[in-house]
Amino acid sequence: MKRIPVSSRRQFLAKSAAAIGFPTIIPASVLGQNAPSSKITMAVFGWGMMGPSNTAKFLQEQDCQIVAACDIDKRNLQKALDTINGAYKNQDCKPYHDYREVMARKDIDTVMLALPDNWHALTAIEAAKNGKDIYGEKPLARTIAEQQAIVKAVQKHGRIWQTGSWQRSEDNFRIGAEIVRNGLIGKLKEVHVGLPAGHNDFAKTGDKRSVTPPPAELDYEMWIGPATMQDYIECRVHKNWRWDYNIGGGQLLDWIGHHCDIAHWGMGMDSSGPEEVNPIQVDMPPRTDIWNTATKYRAEAKYAGGITMTIAGGHDDIKMGTKWIGTDGWVYVNRGGAYDCSNPAFRQTVKKRKDDKDPKSEIIEVAKAPKLGDDVIKTRLYETKGHHRNFLDCVKSRQPTVTPVETAHHSATPGHLALISFLVNRSIKWDPAKEEILGDADAAKLLGREYRGPWKLEV
């Protein structure tokens, strides 16, 4: 990126400081990414489930400055402003209602998108078109067609993308995937992707199921966006929108971008996918129910080389997390540092309290992912200093992040195909190179969906 001479930078600073009400932060886009005084400027979108936690991480980074917040609920927007400006002890972070106004600001380098699934595509594409680098949540989008559009936009405009699949920045997940990639469990035969089941009342609004007028603080028309318009019911809006197929994708799509992402990492499938997906079992409420996403489900995805992936939620034989099974053993990983391996040479045993929060709980022995040497691990996987830190570093270096947009797309695709197989109640044949459903026109229609006007999906 072309750097502005020191004299010009000083003039810019003087003019900025003199401007009434304009923040004195100089964005990296003005100074040049390597300028010692530069900060990466950021706008954050969405203050529901992931917005606050992602923002907290970026607030800790000294080379990042959050200068704008956008939410279409005035209550959430005020919480965002109070948090951000409170952290900086100023009023430099400005509020926005319309995402397009924020994207048009030339002084913003990056965006953090933590929005309901129905809004992932439109906001991400708008960000890419306006030259913003993007930290986006998973799944990449509500449909495969939307995901494909996001990938094209990010590639076309040369943007840096990081997906919130932060498990790739944890040691146990990386070490487990490295063991598999290096053939230390033999030829891979099976993969288990264990996801949650049921519905969680994240917003504590599960009992508020009556049709009511939306609150004055919420722009409900904008909140629905390109999805089908439906009556306002509080229990299917903030945080609990994921249990409504009109907006989200249930536990399956909410989590596929985590544990299938790790499964693909170990399989070497970041740029590919299954060839067939079979519906095995699904408990799905009627589409007319307020919360209508699958509560218990199981599908099998078949990959080249004879590998079968089981994707399941609510089945006792498929543990939460990722398990790879080969001809010579297995490896298992999950959150909280959980790790286990059939080969004692690739596991450590450590002692810990059964309840980390209770200093009086019993001491137990658990397996831990070991740090393996180069004599064992010939192929190393991408190691980061933290998921949010990795994004900022890549904004500066212009090198791919640990979870770029293409990876996010392929990690979520098996979940989308599984959902389609449940909806049509039959096997789906998939061409992972052409990204097409083969020989099933009705199923292929479910790769995308019609947008409510005036919204259009375009790159």
Side-chain angles (χ1 to χ4, degrees), residues 168-449:
R168 290 204 181 201
S169 291
E170 298 288 316
D171 288 346
N172 64 315
F173 291 105
R174 188 191 72 258
I175 291 171
E178 281 183 340
I179 289 173
V180 178
R181 285 282 287 274
N182 282 270
L184 300 180
I185 61 170
K187 179 177 171 56
L188 190 60
K189 302 298 292 182
E190 295 181 47
V191 183
H192 295 173
V193 174
L195 309 179
H199 296 140
N200 297 330
D201 186 8
F202 290 123
K204 307 302 180 188
T205 58
D207 59 337
K208 298 180 179 180
R209 293 174 169 258
S210 299
V211 175
T212 65
E217 298 87 353
L218 174 65
D219 184 346
Y220 186 62
E221 173 80 21
M222 187 73 163
W223 189 88
I224 288 288
T228 300
M229 177 52 71
Q230 56 190 9
D231 291 330
Y232 175 85
I233 298 177
E234 187 173 355
C235 76
R236 67 180 177 194
V237 184
H238 294 328
K239 296 185 180 179
N240 288 330
W241 50 261
R242 48 189 34 86
W243 315 136
D244 173 18
Y245 277 132
N246 187 41
I247 306 297
Q251 297 281 23
L252 172 58
L253 289 182
D254 215 34
W255 277 83
I256 196 71
H258 283 305
H259 291 320
C260 186
D261 179 66
I262 296 299
H264 272 191
W265 207 16
M267 296 166 68
M269 284 287 171
D270 283 350
S271 299
S272 189
E275 297 176 339
E276 181 180 344
V277 177
N278 300 310
I280 305 301
Q281 181 277 331
V282 63
D283 292 347
M284 188 178 291
R287 290 302 294 269
T288 54
D289 280 12
I290 296 171
W291 287 357
N292 55 28
T293 60
T295 54
K296 183 179 180 182
Y297 50 92
R298 188 185 190 110
E300 287 185 354
K302 297 186 179 298
Y303 289 75
I307 302 171
T308 298
M309 175 188 289
T310 300
I311 303 168
H315 291 263
D316 293 340
D317 61 319
I318 305 296
K319 292 172 57 178
M320 182 78 166
T322 303
K323 184 177 184 179
W324 301 273
I325 303 169
T327 54
D328 299 332
W330 53 267
V331 177
Y332 166 79
V333 290
N334 196 12
R335 294 188 173 185
Y339 168 91
D340 206 353
C341 182
S342 59
N343 189 335
F346 304 139
R347 68 196 297 271
Q348 288 180 316
T349 300
V350 297
K351 294 182 178 180
K352 64 180 291 291
R353 295 285 181 185
K354 187 174 183 179
D355 183 350
D356 293 332
K357 298 180 180 179
D358 181 3
K360 296 182 179 180
S361 64
E362 66 176 305
I363 295 176
I364 59 174
E365 290 188 345
V366 297
K368 180 181 178 182
K371 184 175 182 179
L372 300 174
D374 293 340
D375 58 325
V376 177
I377 303 298
K378 306 298 183 183
T379 300
R380 292 288 181 185
L381 297 181
Y382 198 140
E383 185 173 355
T384 79
K385 296 178 180 179
H387 215 63
H388 301 81
R389 181 68 254 166
N390 176 241
F391 172 62
L392 298 176
D393 288 342
C394 291
V395 168
K396 294 179 179 181
S397 69
R398 312 313 295 170
Q399 297 300 307
T401 65
V402 70
T403 49
V405 69
E406 297 86 357
T407 295
H409 172 44
H410 291 104
S411 296
T413 293
H416 285 291
L417 294 175
L419 176 57
I420 292 173
S421 77
F422 294 145
L423 293 174
V424 299
N425 194 29
R426 56 181 175 268
S427 297
I428 300 295
K429 300 288 187 182
W430 177 250
D431 186 327
K434 295 181 179 180
E435 296 191 357
E436 297 175 351
I437 289 178
L438 304 175
D440 193 329
D442 289 336
K445 292 177 182 178
L446 299 179
L447 291 173
R449 60 178 182 171

